[in-house]
């Protein structure tokens, strides 16, 4: 039976009918399977949430203890049956606790990727593994051929070189508070960076969860401490989420060097329009090549695309594979 | 660890010219620009004269039409790849640099020799340009297109360039003429009288507590001495057809729709960079720029980029 026959898309998101649950629902539902802790996938208020222990801890840290009524923990590579559907989690390599979900209904298999990052190298989470399936529902944040990401270690080297070159300037690095920040801190530590780091409170709160799961991030001080220091350590590295405006007193002489770590920095114009002095191309999503490799690795004959454009993947599939590629919104109209 | 990291990005770090120009492209203040320039110029190699020349005098522009360049790329990759990427980025230099096939693992480019070669190119030199692009990594292709095809002005003030020179630059035979020219320009800039603005910021939006403009509209005086809202568009690199459409739209909503603009200082150039143009009926000017940044306001050169688009189109006729 084709997965299209036992799933549907409604205002809350992807519903798995024989299991009576949604995957990463956008609205409050009775049972939600949550792939990872980012806010566009994990929302508070569901009655039952099935997620990895790490994702539960991240949701608790972000939304408080009452983020759901019943928390069901499912570890990676473990299975659980909800209704008539067997659910198995596979590592997604995106952030700590991130999982891909394999849904098996009477031998028909649908894999929901959530967000994922192929290639490993992230010391804070388990490496991505391909999920065998008949239909693969993939995210497509960077699904254009122009997106080809460099080795993140090389990008980190650029940051360290800049800190040497501009030794009298603090470097303010814009990073998402969940995932990217911890990944970069861990990579900095692995590269031998022993100096204290300063981070926004939202990053510190997530760091604590990571530390509880055994990820050593070293000493990270509150950003407020840097602001209050009389004689600032000029070479300090500050981490701040992109949406948070830094108070003017944090940079009174205007000598801070603005850096950013994002996959969107692969487009130079994007980085320049945001006034970033040092854009680092570091992403926890797949680039174009990785997306295609991942699709092949699942063995799926049909691909559904969400969280990004489907047009380039569709053209590629038409040109060089037998795959059928559909935008998730088109699946039930096709 | 990974099966698909691209050597391109490593090459970017190895090529000091690429590293310098990428750093200058992103730098937001003169102190940062000076530091990057000083680092590059500290060895005072005669070959640095070519880089100084680009920054001071502008770069040689090779005779290739952007439509031809796009066609050359589409001979190498599927057309949809360029269409999708260009739609997303809105800049040809980045699209072509990213999509041109082939990775080069740090092959060195002799920019001085290349500059000489480009200067001597005549019309219909596409195949030679394709050869050059074939041997480059992504970042080198981007720089090549910025310098030799797009003809980018890097917006480095002569004063900054002068302050970045190491001691002894004037004694270097290769650099001496450039340093002399640099001093002339710095002195001329100091002596030129300050002019009044003829284009004003009419209204703008800032994020709450933010330091930078999110959106703004510039104004020009019309025949009745009223200030008309206008967004002045400069060098996001679009192709000729896109430039025609854009210019038509600008004219329809400014001089075409509201009568002639009496006079304004033609040497004033407001440079706006943007990633895409959208129709915006709620705005008086009729269009909105996505991710626009006022990246420079300056007097003097390069006004022909926008003001003489007619001349540009006469030289590069395209069918509408």
């Amino acid at each position: 039976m084709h997965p299209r026959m036992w799933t549907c898309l409604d205002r809350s998101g992807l519903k798995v009918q024989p299991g009576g649950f949604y995957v990463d629902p956008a609205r409050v539902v009775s049972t939600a399977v949550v792939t990872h802790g980012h806010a566009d996938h994990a929302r508070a208020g569901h009655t039952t949430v099935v997620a990895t222990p790490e994702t539960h801890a991240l949701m608790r840290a972000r939304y408080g203890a009452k983020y759901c009524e019943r928390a069901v923990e499912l570890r990676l590579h473990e299975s659980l049956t909800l209704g008539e559907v067997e659910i198995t989690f596979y590592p997604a390599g995106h952030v700590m606790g991130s999982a891909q979900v394999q849904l098996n209904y009477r031998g028909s298999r649908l894999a929901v990727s959530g967000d994922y990052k192929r290639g490993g190298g992230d010391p804070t989470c388990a490496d991505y593994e391909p999920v065998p399936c008949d239909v693969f529902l993939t995210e497509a944040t960077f699904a254009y051929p122009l997106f080809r990401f460099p080795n993140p270690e090389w990008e980190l080297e650029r940051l360290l070189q800049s800190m040497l070159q501009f030794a009298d300037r603090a470097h303010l690095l814009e990073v998402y508070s969940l995932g990217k920040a911890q990944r970069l801190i861990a990579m900095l530590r692995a590269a031998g960076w022993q100096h204290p780091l300063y981070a926004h409170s939202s990053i510190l709160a997530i760091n604590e969860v990571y530390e509880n799961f055994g990820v050593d991030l070293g000493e990270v001080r509150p950003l407020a401490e840097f602001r209050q220091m009389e004689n600032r350590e000029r070479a300090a590295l500050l981490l701040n989420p992109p949406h948070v405006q830094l108070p003017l007193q944090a940079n009174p002489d205007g000598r801070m060097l603005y850096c950013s770590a994002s996959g969107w920095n692969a487009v130079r114009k994007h980085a320049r329009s945001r006034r970033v002095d040092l854009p680092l191309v570091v992403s926890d999503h797949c680039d174009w090549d990785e997306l295609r490799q991942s699709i092949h690795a699942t063995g799926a004959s049909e691909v559904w695309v969400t969280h990004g454009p489907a047009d380039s993947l569709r053209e590629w599939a038409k040109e060089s594979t037998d795959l059928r590629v559909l935008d998730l919104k088109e699946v039930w109209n096709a | 660890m990974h099966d698909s990291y691209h050597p391109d990005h490593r090459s970017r770090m190895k090529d000091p010219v690429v590293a310098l120009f990428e750093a200058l492209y992103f730098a937001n203040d003169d102190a940062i620009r000076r530091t990057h320039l000083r680092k590059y110029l500290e060895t005072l190699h005669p070959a640095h004269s070519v880089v100084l020349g680009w920054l001071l005098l502008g770069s040689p522009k090779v005779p290739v039409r952007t439509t031809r360049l796009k066609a050359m790329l589409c001979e190498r990759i599927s057309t949809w790849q360029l269409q999708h990427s260009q739609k997303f980025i809105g800049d040809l230099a980045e699209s072509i640099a990213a999509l041109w096939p082939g990775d080069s693992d740090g092959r060195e480019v002799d920019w001085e020799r290349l500059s000489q070669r480009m200067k001597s190119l005549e019309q219909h030199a596409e195949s030679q340009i394709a050869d050059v692009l074939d041997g480059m990594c992504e970042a080198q292709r981007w720089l090549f297109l910025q310098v030799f095809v797009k003809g980018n002005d890097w917006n480095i003030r002569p004063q900054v360039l002068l302050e970045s020179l190491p001691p002894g630059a004037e004694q270097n035979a290769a650099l001496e003429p450039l340093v002399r020219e640099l001093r002339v320009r710095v002195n001329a800039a100091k002596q030129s009288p300050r002019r009044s603005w003829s284009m004003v910021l009419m209204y703008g939006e800032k994020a709450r507590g933010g330091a930078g403009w999110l959106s703004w509209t510039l104004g020009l005086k019309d025949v009745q001495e009223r200030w008309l809202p206008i967004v002045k568009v400069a060098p996001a690199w679009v192709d000729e057809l896109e430039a025609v459409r854009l210019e038509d739209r600008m004219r329809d909503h400014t001089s075409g729709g509201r009568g002639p603009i009496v006079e304004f200082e033609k040497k004033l150039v407001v440079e706006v960079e943007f990633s895409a143009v959208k129709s915006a009926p709620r705005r008086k000017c009729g269009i909105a720029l996505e991710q626009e940044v006022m990246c420079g306001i300056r007097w003097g050169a390069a006004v022909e980029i926008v003001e003489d688009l007619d001349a540009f189109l006469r030289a590069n006729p395209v069918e509408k």
Side-chain angles (χ1 to χ4, degrees):
Chain A
M1 190 189 297
H2 194 282
R4 189 176 59 243
M5 309 300 288
W6 47 273
T7 54
C8 68
L9 191 67
D10 64 23
R11 291 171 70 199
S12 299
L14 182 74
K15 185 175 185 183
V16 182
Q17 288 156 323
F21 63 87
Y22 288 82
V23 182
D24 289 346
R27 290 160 180 260
V28 173
V29 298
S30 67
T31 306
V33 175
V34 174
T35 57
H36 66 282
H38 279 148
D40 54 336
H41 294 258
R43 291 171 176 83
H46 307 305
T47 311
T48 303
V49 171
V50 180
T52 60
E54 294 90 339
T55 300
H56 276 298
L58 289 166
M59 289 178 77
R60 204 172 295 119
R62 290 196 136 182
Y63 304 129
K66 293 182 180 173
Y67 69 98
C68 70
E69 287 178 21
R70 184 168 160 255
V72 178
E73 291 190 352
L74 184 64
R75 291 176 195 283
L76 295 174
H77 300 113
E78 286 182 359
S79 298
L80 170 79
T81 302
L82 281 180
E84 296 179 69
V85 179
E86 186 187 52
I87 301 166
T88 310
F89 277 172
Y90 287 80
H94 177 60
V95 298
M96 187 180 75
S98 59
Q100 303 176 82
V101 189
Q102 188 198 53
L103 305 166
N104 190 335
Y105 174 61
R106 296 181 183 173
S108 166
R109 296 168 308 168
L110 168 66
V112 182
S113 72
D115 291 343
Y116 63 107
K117 172 67 180 171
R118 191 186 172 87
D122 183 347
T124 66
C125 68
D127 286 355
Y128 159 91
E129 285 175 23
V131 185
C133 59
D134 305 310
V135 174
F136 184 42
L137 170 50
T138 181
E139 63 110 350
T141 309
F142 294 108
Y144 282 124
L146 64 101
F147 285 111
R148 304 164 82 209
F149 298 147
N151 186 331
E153 285 164 13
W154 301 342
E155 294 298 279
L156 198 69
E157 197 180 316
R158 291 176 59 215
L159 175 66
L160 295 172
Q161 278 175 5
S162 175
M163 295 195 68
L164 281 176
Q165 193 181 354
F166 295 92
D168 58 340
R169 285 176 181 247
H171 282 55
L172 178 74
L173 180 59
E174 281 190 349
V175 280
Y176 290 119
S177 47
L178 165 54
K180 190 79 65 68
Q182 291 73 28
R183 181 185 188 190
L184 282 169
I185 294 170
M187 285 172 63
L188 275 165
R189 298 303 186 203
W193 182 268
Q194 295 306 325
H195 304 292
L197 296 161
Y198 297 87
H200 186 264
S201 55
S202 62
I203 295 173
L204 294 174
I206 303 295
N207 281 4
E208 206 178 315
V209 181
Y210 271 65
E211 298 259 0
N212 290 343
F213 280 90
V215 180
D216 182 15
L217 298 173
E219 186 188 0
V220 185
R221 298 176 184 168
L223 206 51
E225 268 186 36
F226 175 78
R227 292 207 294 267
Q228 287 157 7
M229 281 167 70
E230 288 280 325
N231 299 310
R232 294 206 179 98
E233 290 174 54
R234 285 300 184 187
L237 181 58
L238 321 177
L239 287 94
N240 200 44
H243 61 277
V244 178
Q245 186 81 31
L246 204 66
L248 204 59
Q249 61 267 31
N251 187 23
D253 50 5
R255 288 181 56 79
M256 207 169 264
L257 202 132
Y258 289 90
C259 317
S260 143
S262 167
W264 298 111
N265 289 338
V267 178
R268 291 179 184 83
K269 287 188 73 65
H270 174 85
R272 196 184 187 196
S273 71
R274 296 181 57 241
R275 297 264 172 198
V276 175
D277 296 307
L278 180 66
L280 307 173
V281 186
V282 180
S283 179
D284 43 23
H285 292 266
C286 288
D287 67 7
W288 172 248
D289 291 341
E290 292 169 338
L291 272 174
R292 292 181 302 159
Q293 287 162 7
S294 307
I295 289 169
H296 273 311
T298 61
S301 57
E302 187 168 312
V303 178
W304 300 348
V305 179
T306 187
H307 284 245
D311 47 357
S312 287
L313 282 173
R314 190 183 288 125
E315 292 291 343
W316 160 72
K318 237 190 271 173
E319 204 172 76
S320 52
T321 70
D322 298 329
L323 276 173
R324 189 163 184 241
V325 175
L326 296 166
D327 192 304
L328 184 61
K329 288 174 188 149
E330 304 166 350
V331 169
W332 290 272
N333 303 327
Chain B
M1 167 174 103
H2 193 288
D3 46 4
S4 69
Y5 286 136
H6 304 285
D8 267 9
H9 295 275
R10 200 53 163 170
S11 319
R12 171 171 73 189
M13 295 163 72
K14 284 184 191 166
D15 188 325
V17 179
V18 170
L20 171 70
F21 277 89
E22 274 207 337
L24 293 178
Y25 181 78
F26 291 116
N28 283 312
D29 70 52
D30 281 346
I32 297 176
R33 293 186 186 104
R34 261 193 300 270
T35 308
H36 286 304
L37 282 163
R38 277 180 187 150
K39 186 188 171 197
Y40 176 74
L41 293 168
E42 67 187 352
T43 50
L44 207 59
H45 193 276
H48 290 159
S49 61
V50 68
V51 167
L52 273 178
W54 293 347
L55 292 170
L56 182 63
L57 309 168
S59 47
K61 206 166 172 224
V62 298
V64 61
R65 298 259 303 274
T66 47
T67 40
R68 182 66 200 121
L69 209 51
K70 282 164 76 171
M72 277 155 54
L73 177 61
C74 290
E75 287 161 12
R76 291 164 169 77
I77 61 165
S78 307
T79 308
W80 62 265
Q81 292 196 32
L82 176 61
Q83 284 171 346
H84 294 182
S85 301
Q86 172 68 1
K87 188 176 147 198
F88 180 78
I89 297 185
D91 185 272
L92 271 176
E94 288 216 56
S95 302
I96 295 171
L99 295 172
W100 197 275
D103 295 327
S104 151
D105 187 7
R107 193 186 303 183
E108 278 188 28
V109 172
D110 184 339
W111 293 99
E112 192 181 13
R113 258 182 76 187
L114 188 61
S115 198
Q116 293 301 330
R117 193 175 150 200
M118 291 299 116
K119 269 182 200 164
S120 63
L121 278 189
E122 293 176 3
Q123 294 290 339
H124 311 299
E126 284 92 349
S127 63
Q128 294 190 52
I129 290 167
D131 283 347
V132 170
L133 290 171
D134 281 338
M136 289 179 161
C137 73
E138 187 271 342
Q140 288 167 332
R141 285 192 290 264
W142 172 79
L143 181 61
F144 174 82
L145 293 166
Q146 291 279 351
V147 169
F148 296 108
V149 184
K150 188 175 171 184
N152 201 13
D153 186 318
W154 296 91
N155 207 19
I156 307 289
R157 291 189 298 119
Q159 182 73 36
V160 174
L161 214 46
L162 190 64
E163 288 165 1
S164 308
L165 290 174
E170 268 167 304
Q171 280 74 54
N172 187 306
L175 297 182
E176 190 273 333
L178 284 166
V179 178
R180 200 161 7 103
E181 173 67 19
L182 196 52
R183 290 200 188 285
V184 169
R185 293 197 180 201
V186 169
N187 289 333
K190 278 181 186 165
Q191 285 162 13
S192 63
R194 190 179 168 81
R195 302 188 207 188
S196 61
W197 296 104
S198 54
M199 189 179 287
V200 296
L201 178 74
M202 294 194 70
Y203 36 85
E205 283 174 51
K206 278 186 178 181
R208 192 168 49 191
W213 294 102
L214 291 176
S215 162
W216 35 264
T217 299
L218 299 168
L220 288 174
K221 273 185 183 172
D222 72 352
V223 279
Q224 279 90 37
E225 293 287 303
R226 291 175 309 191
W227 287 100
L228 293 180
I230 175 174
V231 178
K232 195 78 180 112
V233 181
W237 195 28
V238 291
D239 70 20
E240 291 94 338
L241 271 172
E242 288 167 324
V244 170
R245 284 192 214 110
L246 189 56
E247 182 67 3
D248 282 351
R249 182 143 195 106
M250 295 293 289
R251 286 192 196 289
D252 286 349
H253 287 86
T254 53
S255 55
R258 298 161 193 271
I261 292 163
V262 172
E263 190 180 357
F264 63 95
E265 177 53 76
K266 286 209 168 193
K267 285 182 179 173
L268 172 66
V269 184
V270 179
E271 283 191 358
V272 180
E273 289 221 341
F274 56 94
S275 61
V277 181
K278 275 185 168 176
S279 168
R282 289 173 62 195
R283 290 192 179 194
K284 286 180 185 169
C285 60
I287 58 170
L289 307 181
E290 270 191 3
Q291 295 186 359
E292 72 277 23
V293 168
M294 193 195 292
C295 57
I297 300 178
R298 57 204 164 81
W299 302 103
V303 72
E304 64 272 10
I305 292 171
V306 181
E307 296 311 331
D308 273 353
L309 193 58
D310 282 337
F312 169 74
L313 293 173
R314 276 198 299 278
N316 302 277
V318 288
E319 288 179 18
K320 287 190 186 181

